[in-house]
């Protein structure tokens, strides 16, 4: 379900429902690479690492694309 306008960061954020939901990290996690930030660069890095069979975890304090990646026209989709 799309977010209400009052909770949205951008038009994309408001109009695009999340396809996955994750709980905050509670405890230990294991991966070859830890990526801090789920913007363009973090998501692209995780995608490229997966293509090389390297496990990764993205650590994002907010929703994916929350920061500049979500507000600069909201093209992270």
């Amino acid at each position: 379900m799309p977010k209400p306008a009052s909770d949205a960061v951008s038009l994309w954020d408001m109009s695009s429902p999340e396809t996955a939901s994750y709980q905050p990290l509670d405890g230990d996690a294991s991966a070859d690479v830890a990526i801090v930030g789920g913007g363009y660069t973090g998501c692209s890095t995780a995608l490229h690492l997966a293509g090389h069979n390297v496990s990764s975890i993205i650590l994002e304090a907010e929703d994916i694309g929350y920061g500049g990646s979500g507000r600069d026209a909201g093209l992270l989709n």
Side-chain angles (χ1 to χ4, degrees):
M1 175 173 200
K3 291 181 183 180
S6 60
D7 295 337
V9 174
S10 65
L11 176 61
W12 164 75
D13 188 43
M14 184 174 65
S15 61
S16 298
E18 290 289 326
T19 57
S21 177
Y22 299 96
Q23 296 297 317
L25 182 62
D26 183 22
D28 296 335
S30 179
D32 296 323
V33 177
I35 301 166
V36 179
Y40 297 124
T41 305
C43 289
S44 177
T45 299
L47 178 65
H48 284 85
L49 288 169
H52 292 282
N53 296 318
V54 177
S55 66
S56 65
I57 185 170
I58 297 175
L59 303 172
E60 172 58 58
E62 300 289 340
D63 293 327
I64 295 295
Y66 174 83
S69 297
R71 289 190 293 266
D72 295 341
L75 299 176
L76 182 62
N77 53 12

